[in-house]
Amino acid sequence: MKDFGEEKARSRNGGRLASCMGGVFLFLATLVVCNYLLDLFGPSLHPPAFAQKLKHIEESEVAYDVVFIGSSYVYRQLNPDVFDEEMAKQGYDLRSYNMGFPGLVFHEMDQLLDDLLAIDSNQLRWILVDAANMDVNRKRQNRLTSRAIWGATPGHTWSYCRGILASSDPWPQKLGILLNQTVSACARSLHIGTGQGLINQTMSSGEMGGALDSTEVLQRGFFSLDQSRDKNDLIQIRRRNAFLRAASKWPRRVERFRQQAPDSTELSKEYLRAAYSHQVQKIHNHGVAAIYVLSPCLHPHFRIEDLAKEGVIPKLFAYNLPEDFPELYAANMRSNFNHLTEEGADLYTRQVARDFSAYLKEIQ
Amino acid sequence: MLFTQPIFLIYFALVFCLHWTIQRNSARKVMLLAASYVFYAGWDWRFLILIAASTIIDFAVGLILRAPRPVLNRKVWLVLSLSANLGILGVFKYFNFFVESAHGLLTAVGVTLEARMFGIVLPVGISFFTFQSMSYTIDVYRGRIKPVRSFTDFALFVAFFPQLVAGPIVRAATFLPQLAIRRRLSDVMFKGPIALFLTGFIKKVCIADNLAPVVDSVFADPGAFDVVSIWIAVLFYAAQIYCDFSGYTDMAIAVARLLGYELCLNFSFPYFASNIQEFWRRWHISLSTWLRDYLYISLGGNRGSKLFAMRNLMLTMLLGGFWHGASWNFVVWGGLHGFALVVHRIYQETVGGNRYVAGLMKMFGIVLTFYWVCLTWIFFRATNFADAYTCLKAFVIFQSPGQATLGPELLWWLPPMILAHWIMYRRPIEERVEQVPNWACAIGYGLATFFALLFLRFGYSQFIYFQF
C-alpha cells in the first residue's frame, strides 16, 4: 500500500516537473516576445545627449561636411567654428560638427557611427575619428547607466568581450569587466529600467548621459574646458587644480615622455587591426572618408601608428609627439594633464584644419 | 542581500533545491538555520552575535520557566529575558537617542555637559527578531505554549530568513508546530506564491523605488515647494511606504510558502479602512497584534475605567511609534495615531450607534481615515519638526512659502495605482491565479516580469522598514 502511494506521488511529481518545464518555456518565450516587440516599436535607447546631437544633425538646416567623433579629446578640443574659419582661409567652404562625448570608448563610438551614418539626410564627406580611446567600459558603477545599456547590443558586447580578452589586464580584472558587460547586455536585452523615466526623469545616466541643456553647446557640439564656462563641474575643477599644483613639473614630464615613452596600454595588435579595419570599411561603405586623429596628450599609441603604416588606418593625423608640436604641450595651453584650455583647443583645431586642407590638396 | 537583487534569486534557488532534496526534517532545519544565518551575515557577520545571544537567552529562559522547580521565581526569569532583549534594543537602537535627548533637556535647563555619542551601527531587523523572541518567552510564561525542546527549532523560529529582517513578526504558537512536521513538496502550491512574489517585487522596485526620488526631492527641502507638490509628495509617500513594506511582506510570505511554511498576514489593504481602528487591523498586523497582546493587555487593556483604557491605548501607540525608530518624529506619529484611536473610541461610545452618523461615516470614513493617515506620515517621513510643520501647513491649510513645483501631471499616477489596489482588494492575486490554467499563468508571469524589469529602478535601495 505504501509502495503504491509512493509510486503515485512520484508519478505526480513527474507530471508536475513536465508542467513546470513547459511553464518555464512559456515564461521565457513571453519575455523574449515582449522585448522583441519593444525593440521594434519602442522608443530609442539613446542616452539623451547622444540623441540630441544625432537629432541636431538630422534636423539641422546646415549640411555638415565634416564630423569629429570621439571622447573628450574631441569634445573639449576641436572647435567647429574655428575649424570652418581656418578651412575657409585655406580655400575650403566646409561645415563641421563636433560629435564628441566625454569618455566615449571605442565601441560606443562604433555604435554612434552606425547611428550617424544611418541618418538619411546627412551629406557627410569626412569623419575625423579620435583614435586614442581604444578603451573598454571598466567601471562597475557604469554597467547600468543608460550609456552602458545603449552600447550593449549583442554585437557590440561580443566585440567588447573580445577586446577585453585581448587586453593585457590581469585576469580578475578581465573577469570583472566581462561581468559588467554581461550585466549591461542583459539590461539592454530585457529593457531593464528603460521605463523608469516615465515617473521621474532621473535615469542614472553616467557621464554625459544626461541631456545637454545649453543650446550653444548643441549648435556646435563643442564644449571647451575653460574654467569660466562651467563653475559647477567639480570633477574638471579638481583636475584643473591638480594640474595647476603640478604645473611646474609638466615640462619635465613632457621631456621624460619625449625621451622614453612608457609601455603601451593598448589592446593586442590583432584585435586592433580587426576592429579598425571593420570601422574604416563601415565608414567607407557609406561613401564617407575616415581620418583618424591622435590628440595632443602624453599617451603612447605605437600600435595605432603601426596600423597607419600598414594602411589599415587610411590617414592618421598624429599630434601625440611633443617634439613635433611643442606649442600644444606648453603648460599655459593645458587645462589639465590630458586636455587643452580653450586657447589650446583653438590652436589645436587650427593645426588640424591646416593638416586637413593639406590632405585635401594632396588627394586632389 | 535584498529580495530584489539577482544574488538573492541565486541564493534562494540554492536553498530551495537543498531544502527539497534533503529528506530528513531535522537536517532540513539545520540547513535552513545555516542559510538564515548566512543571509543575515550578508549585512554584517557581527550582527550574528546579537541574534545568537537573544536566541540562547530566550531558549534557556523558556526551558527554565516550565521547569517543575525553577531556581528563582518565574517572574524573575521573565524579567531577565525581557531586560536582555530590551537591553540589546536599547543599546543598539536607542542609546544615542537617549543621550542626545538627555543632553538637550539638560541644556534647556541650563546644565552644560558634553554629550558623548557612540558610533553604534543599527543591526538590521533588530526590532523584529527581539520582539519575536520576547513573544515566545511571554507566551511560555503565560502558559499559552509549551517551551520548545529543540534548540534548532527555536533558533530557526527566531532567524528564519524570509521574515528575519522586516517581519512579519511571527508567533511561536503558529510557527513552531510547522517545524515539527516534515513539509512535502507535493503540498506546495507554486502558482500563488510566485504571483505573490512578483506582486511584491513590482510593488517595491517599480512603484516604491520610482516614487522615492519624487518624495525625497520634496522632503529634502519642503519649504521650497508649492502646496500641490507637497500634496503629491505626501500622497506618493503613502503609496511608497505601503508598496515598500507590503511588497517586502508579500515576497517574504511567498518565499516561506515555496519552502512549505506559512507566515502570518501582515497587510490587508489598509488604505481601504473606513476608520483608524480598522486601519490598525489592516496595517502591519503582526506588530499591531503584538502590541495589543503583549503591551496593551499587559498595561491593563480594557479593564478598569474608560479613561484608564484610553491611557493604555495612548501609551501603546506612543511606544509603538517609538519602536519604529529612535526619533521624536516617530513618537509624535504614534501619538497622533493613539489620539485618533481614542477619538474613535469616544465616537463609538457616544454617537457611533446613531444610524445617520454611521451612514455618513460609511460614505466618508475611507477618505477621512486616509487623510489622517497621510497627515501622520508627514511626521514619519520628515527629518525634523520644522520640515514636518511646513508640510503640515500645506497639507492642512494649503499654505506654503515655496514656488518650486513638481508638476500636477504626476497626480495621474495615482488613479492607476488606486485601481490596481482595488482590483486586488476585490480578490487577492494568489487566489486569482489558482483558478487560472498553468499555461496562462506562465504567460502572465512573463508579462509581469517584463513590466517589472522595464520599470525597475537602477541602484538597489533598502526597504524602508529595514531601519527599524
Side-chain angles (χ1 to χ4, degrees):
Chain A
M1 197 63 188
K2 193 188 166 197
D3 285 346
F4 177 72
E6 274 181 11
E7 205 172 287
K8 208 173 159 186
R10 217 173 291 143
S11 115
R12 200 169 57 214
N13 281 345
R16 288 184 90 187
L17 190 68
S19 161
C20 186
M21 297 299 280
V24 169
F25 173 76
L26 274 176
F27 168 81
L28 293 175
T30 310
L31 265 185
V32 169
V33 169
C34 287
N35 282 295
Y36 179 69
L37 289 175
L38 193 62
D39 260 339
L40 281 183
F41 304 111
S44 151
L45 283 172
H46 284 107
F50 289 32
Q52 279 176 300
K53 282 195 173 181
L54 287 167
K55 197 175 170 202
H56 172 83
I57 288 194
E58 193 171 4
E59 294 175 354
S60 173
E61 287 171 5
V62 181
Y64 293 110
D65 308 282
V66 185
V67 158
F68 315 127
I69 191 164
S71 65
S72 58
Y73 294 143
V74 166
Y75 179 59
R76 308 287 195 189
Q77 304 187 145
L78 285 173
N79 185 341
D81 290 350
V82 174
F83 184 84
D84 296 353
E85 186 194 312
E86 187 64 33
M87 289 305 286
K89 277 189 205 166
Q90 306 291 329
Y92 292 98
D93 183 24
L94 297 179
R95 295 286 172 274
S96 61
Y97 187 74
N98 188 322
M99 277 293 285
F101 294 94
L104 196 80
V105 296
F106 182 84
H107 303 91
E108 281 183 310
M109 186 201 297
D110 212 32
Q111 195 174 354
L112 197 58
L113 274 170
D114 287 342
D115 295 332
L116 176 68
L117 294 167
I119 295 173
D120 292 333
S121 59
N122 80 39
Q123 294 174 25
L124 278 180
R125 287 190 282 166
W126 298 279
I127 296 181
L128 264 70
V129 188
D130 169 26
N133 219 357
M134 190 60 195
D135 201 352
V136 284
N137 202 356
R138 289 159 191 277
K139 290 176 186 163
R140 190 173 183 273
Q141 66 267 29
N142 283 348
R143 66 191 189 184
L144 282 175
T145 63
S146 56
R147 264 179 74 162
I149 288 172
W150 162 78
T153 60
H156 285 93
T157 305
W158 173 235
S159 175
Y160 263 129
C161 292
R162 281 178 50 225
I164 295 153
L165 290 169
S167 74
S168 55
D169 289 336
W171 270 102
Q173 200 179 331
K174 276 190 195 182
L175 291 176
I177 301 168
L178 285 173
L179 178 70
N180 294 348
Q181 304 310 323
T182 314
V183 169
S184 299
C186 289
R188 184 184 169 109
S189 314
L190 294 168
H191 291 89
I192 295 175
T194 51
Q196 60 181 305
L198 280 177
I199 297 181
N200 54 74
Q201 303 296 318
T202 53
M203 182 173 176
S204 172
S205 51
E207 194 180 13
M208 268 294 285
L212 293 171
D213 47 11
S214 159
T215 319
E216 194 197 345
V217 172
L218 192 58
Q219 288 301 321
R220 302 186 296 168
F222 165 73
F223 189 38
S224 84
L225 272 176
D226 189 336
Q227 289 301 296
S228 62
R229 279 170 180 263
D230 193 354
K231 291 190 172 63
N232 297 321
D233 195 341
L234 294 178
I235 295 172
Q236 297 305 342
I237 290 171
R238 223 172 286 144
R239 282 182 188 163
R240 172 76 179 151
N241 289 341
F243 177 74
L244 290 176
R245 277 198 300 275
S248 59
K249 292 178 190 159
W250 172 251
R252 205 163 1 130
R253 197 165 162 165
V254 173
E255 186 56 28
R256 206 167 50 230
F257 180 84
R258 215 173 59 76
Q259 285 174 0
Q260 190 185 8
D263 285 344
S264 169
T265 54
E266 295 162 296
L267 302 178
S268 81
K269 196 167 173 182
E270 292 69 36
Y271 179 75
L272 288 179
R273 184 181 290 120
Y276 276 106
S277 54
H278 174 257
Q279 192 178 73
V280 169
Q281 197 57 50
K282 180 164 61 183
I283 297 172
H284 281 194
N285 287 347
H286 282 81
V288 182
I291 294 158
Y292 286 80
V293 181
L294 281 174
S295 51
C297 59
L298 299 182
H299 289 308
H301 295 287
F302 311 127
R303 288 176 192 155
I304 304 265
E305 288 165 59
D306 286 350
L307 290 178
K309 282 175 199 157
E310 284 177 26
V312 174
I313 288 177
K315 184 70 192 169
L316 180 71
F317 294 162
Y319 304 98
N320 59 329
L321 297 176
E323 59 266 41
D324 293 346
F325 303 97
E327 68 278 21
L328 295 177
Y329 289 83
N332 61 338
M333 291 293 160
R334 313 294 301 190
S335 176
N336 56 42
F337 291 107
N338 288 321
H339 301 98
L340 299 161
T341 56
E342 189 160 12
E343 194 186 344
D346 195 290
L347 200 66
Y348 171 52
T349 309
R350 286 185 197 283
Q351 182 63 49
V352 173
R354 282 196 293 274
D355 290 345
F356 184 61
S357 65
Y359 165 72
L360 291 182
K361 280 173 189 146
E362 188 187 309
I363 58 167
Q364 276 165 6
Chain B
M1 202 186 315
L2 305 175
F3 286 171
T4 48
Q5 282 177 312
I7 184 87
F8 176 77
L9 293 182
I10 298 167
Y11 160 86
F12 181 67
L14 200 69
V15 171
F16 179 85
C17 293
L18 278 173
H19 178 73
W20 292 116
T21 310
I22 297 169
Q23 293 300 310
R24 281 184 56 201
N25 196 28
S26 54
R28 258 186 201 174
K29 286 186 281 191
V30 170
M31 188 281 296
L32 272 184
L33 180 62
S36 299
Y37 282 156
V38 168
F39 178 81
Y40 196 56
W43 273 277
D44 192 330
W45 66 268
R46 289 168 300 183
F47 295 166
L48 286 177
I49 298 166
L50 291 178
I51 202 167
S54 181
T55 306
I56 292 166
I57 291 167
D58 286 312
F59 177 71
V61 170
L63 289 178
I64 294 166
L65 282 174
R66 285 298 117 189
R69 287 182 188 173
V71 184
L72 292 166
N73 187 312
R74 286 195 175 93
K75 208 168 229 170
V76 175
W77 286 107
L78 176 71
V79 169
L80 193 75
S81 159
L82 296 184
S83 309
N85 281 300
L86 293 175
I88 290 173
L89 209 53
V91 170
F92 285 90
K93 188 167 177 175
Y94 298 107
F95 183 81
N96 283 343
F97 169 74
F98 286 136
V99 172
E100 208 177 328
S101 300
H103 181 257
L105 191 71
L106 288 172
T107 310
V109 295
V111 182
T112 316
L113 283 173
E114 192 194 342
R116 289 192 64 186
M117 304 287 187
F118 292 104
I120 300 171
V121 179
L122 178 68
V124 64
I126 188 170
S127 308
F128 289 93
F129 70 73
T130 47
F131 266 41
Q132 193 159 309
S133 197
M134 269 158 53
S135 74
Y136 165 80
T137 321
I138 299 169
D139 281 349
V140 172
Y141 174 78
R142 287 175 177 172
R144 287 193 183 151
I145 55 167
K146 285 182 184 168
V148 62
R149 300 271 161 198
S150 158
F151 180 74
T152 312
D153 281 17
F154 182 70
L156 185 56
F157 156 69
V158 177
F160 187 47
F161 73 89
Q163 44 79 202
L164 173 60
V165 286
I169 304 168
V170 179
R171 302 291 180 86
T174 57
F175 193 74
L176 286 172
Q178 295 185 53
L179 291 176
I181 305 160
R182 182 172 160 264
R183 321 311 289 177
R184 290 189 308 180
L185 183 61
S186 54
D187 292 337
V188 176
M189 308 293 280
F190 283 93
K191 287 194 286 186
I194 293 172
L196 194 60
F197 188 89
L198 278 172
T199 309
F201 187 85
I202 289 172
K203 277 183 186 172
K204 165 65 183 161
V205 299
C206 301
I207 304 176
D209 285 357
N210 276 301
L211 296 178
V214 179
V215 175
D216 293 348
S217 64
V218 173
F219 276 94
D221 183 14
F225 286 88
D226 62 5
V227 173
V228 176
S229 301
I230 291 174
W231 265 80
I232 289 172
V234 175
L235 294 176
F236 272 26
Y237 185 64
Q240 184 201 345
I241 194 166
Y242 170 72
C243 289
D244 191 284
F245 194 18
S246 76
Y248 177 86
T249 309
D250 288 345
M251 286 189 272
I253 292 172
V255 165
R257 275 187 193 163
L258 287 171
L259 295 172
Y261 298 98
E262 197 63 44
L263 300 182
C264 57
L265 188 71
N266 214 17
F267 288 89
S268 178
F269 305 93
Y271 293 148
F272 288 134
S274 57
N275 60 60
I276 198 73
Q277 193 180 42
E278 196 187 337
F279 174 82
W280 278 102
R281 285 186 189 140
R282 290 166 175 270
W283 177 272
H284 203 175
I285 300 166
S286 64
L287 176 71
S288 53
T289 49
W290 197 101
L291 290 173
R292 181 196 65 202
D293 295 346
Y294 301 107
L295 189 59
Y296 180 69
I297 290 175
S298 302
L299 285 169
N302 289 338
R303 289 163 292 177
S305 69
K306 283 176 189 170
L307 206 64
F308 182 71
M310 285 173 194
R311 182 210 72 156
N312 293 341
L313 202 53
M314 199 69 197
L315 271 176
T316 305
M317 291 315 292
L318 283 170
L319 288 169
F322 195 48
W323 173 89
H324 282 85
S327 157
W328 288 110
N329 279 34
F330 294 114
V331 179
V332 172
W333 174 78
L336 286 170
H337 274 281
F339 170 73
L341 283 166
V342 168
V343 170
H344 178 70
R345 186 166 283 191
I346 295 167
Y347 153 80
Q348 270 185 324
E349 285 168 4
T350 51
V351 291
N354 185 304
R355 206 151 50 97
Y356 300 108
V357 178
L360 270 175
M361 277 310 286
K362 211 172 182 179
M363 279 170 70
F364 299 111
I366 293 176
V367 178
L368 271 178
T369 308
F370 182 67
Y371 179 78
W372 181 259
V373 169
C374 284
L375 187 148
T376 61
W377 285 137
I378 290 173
F379 285 91
F380 201 89
R381 177 60 184 80
T383 43
N384 54 55
F385 283 123
D387 284 354
Y389 178 67
T390 308
C391 293
L392 207 59
K393 255 173 71 179
F395 200 66
V396 179
I397 54 170
F398 304 99
Q399 275 183 11
S400 174
Q403 299 295 318
T405 181
L406 288 173
E409 65 275 5
L410 279 174
L411 284 169
W412 285 109
W413 285 100
L414 289 174
M417 283 195 274
I418 295 167
L419 182 70
H421 197 52
W422 182 78
I423 290 169
M424 292 217 250
Y425 173 66
R426 300 284 294 172
R427 198 165 167 212
I429 188 89
E430 61 270 34
E431 276 180 30
R432 280 174 195 267
V433 292
E434 294 300 346
Q435 313 292 321
V436 177
N438 289 356
W439 62 268
C441 237
I443 293 174
Y445 294 154
L447 283 171
T449 308
F450 169 70
F451 281 107
L453 294 178
L454 195 64
F455 288 97
L456 187 141
R457 191 164 167 73
F458 296 146
Y460 299 100
S461 51
Q462 288 271 24
F463 289 85
I464 294 173
Y465 263 68
F466 278 16
Q467 63 187 298
F468 308 138

